[in-house]
Amino acid sequence: MTRAGLPPESIGLVSALTSAGICWCLACGGPMLSHYGPVRTLQIALACIALGLFALLWPFGLLGLLGAVAIGFGAGHNTPAGSQILVRAAPPRHRTLIFSIKQAGVPLGGALAGLMMAPLVLAQGLPAALGTVIGVALLTILLVQPFRGQLDQDRGKGRRDWARALLSLAMLAHSIRTLRAHPSLPLLTILGASFSVLQSCLMAFTATYAITRHGASLAEAGQIVAVMQGASMVGRILLGWLADRMGHALRHLAFQAVASALAVGLLVTLGDRGSWALYGCAALVGVTAIGWNGVHMAELARVAPLPLVGDVTSAASLFGFVGSVCGPLVFTLVVSWSGSYDLAFLLMAGQLALLGLASAAFLRRVN
């Protein structure tokens, strides 16, 4: 932002435009995925990210903001395209585990970026750091090319006017209508949005909570968040394996919603009993409240009609993304009104617990 002559707080505008790009992709990118196939779409997405990062290298504010939209648009393709690949390639008896391993790559990639980028920026400067990321993106485009023929066999079956669909409000309505394609999809979507509300609050406020409520140092707060993130990677794989063994992922998610709320309750009530209790509760929260994504994505892909897997996961992810934006906003309002992080965390956990219990009761009545 300084390079573009903008104040440092303008980074919030970059973040907002990146989020807008993600929403744009999830709402209107379905025809593009159907037309090109998942591998080619991911290659285009990586090219968009590389182009967006390149735009951030130049000292022109407007160009950088457009680059932020391009980065978001590219990032938004990851979930629907990945789901379309895995639902065809993963053996049914291990589908949830494989989806969960894929989702475990998200926090792993974030951790690696955090470990590598800061030293690189300090040693070589921001242009060199962004150039490295651009190089990785372009190299990945080349490395996945040999797999395109095998994994993009259904390409070309979507709309040829996919570019026009990117600017169509009707496409947004169509994307949402795909959630009627199976009776379980509305409940799965609501559960995903509810999980996203709690997860986004945990990711945004746990470090601040540890400092203000438990007197942790800045370094210790960072370590607590790192433990929570690391536990979530393990949790995603463990819970994916467990969901495959249980054989009913939607019921598993309902139980996990309640378990996540209980874990947050333990964090609030036991976190002041020493650093080990705080670390242990943070790990438990990571496993339960942040380890849900793989099971959720696998179940969305399983129940969706095969031609609509990309559209369904896009639409469900869009609602989840809205939850991840609204959750921290509500959390902030609760803290501002009450002065209590404990109350805010319990409210965010409570909405998930109530939905989990309601889902379990509904599933029992249906079955």
Side-chain angles (χ1 to χ4, degrees), residues 325-350:
V325 171
C326 295
L329 293 177
V330 175
F331 190 102
T332 300
L333 291 175
V334 172
V335 174
S336 299
W337 169 71
S338 67
S340 172
Y341 279 85
D342 289 349
L343 176 62
F345 272 126
L346 290 175
L347 286 175
M348 297 300 103

Side-chain angles (χ1 to χ4, degrees), residues 183-256:
S184 297
L185 286 174
L187 181 56
L188 274 168
T189 301
I190 295 170
L191 270 172
S194 184
F195 269 110
S196 295
V197 167
L198 179 58
Q199 176 179 319
S200 62
C201 291
L202 288 166
M203 296 302 301
F205 297 106
T206 296
T208 304
Y209 173 71
I211 294 171
T212 59
R213 174 70 169 78
H214 298 292
S217 66
L218 182 60
E220 188 177 14
Q223 292 168 2
I224 291 168
V225 173
V227 167
M228 187 171 67
Q229 283 274 50
S232 77
M233 287 188 283
V234 176
R236 292 179 193 212
I237 297 172
L238 176 63
L239 293 171
W241 174 85
L242 183 61
D244 279 333
R245 304 286 78 74
M246 288 178 61
H248 198 304
L250 187 50
R251 184 179 292 116
H252 171 97
L253 284 170
F255 292 151
Q256 189 176 339

Side-chain angles (χ1 to χ4, degrees), residues 300-318:
L300 284 172
R302 185 188 72 82
V303 302
L306 193 58
L308 296 178
V309 168
D311 291 336
V312 165
T313 52
S314 292
S317 297
L318 178 60

Side-chain angles (χ1 to χ4, degrees), residues 8 25 45 65 69 75 83 105 137 156 158 162 165 200 208 224 230 260 297 301 305 321 333-334 360:
C25 171
L65 296 179
V69 176
S83 296
W162 60 268
S200 62
T208 304
I224 291 168
S260 300
M297 287 298 162
F321 191 80
L333 291 175
V334 172

Side-chain angles (χ1 to χ4, degrees), residues 55-73:
L56 293 177
L57 289 171
W58 297 91
F60 304 107
L62 179 59
L63 186 61
L65 296 179
L66 292 175
V69 176
I71 291 170
F73 182 80

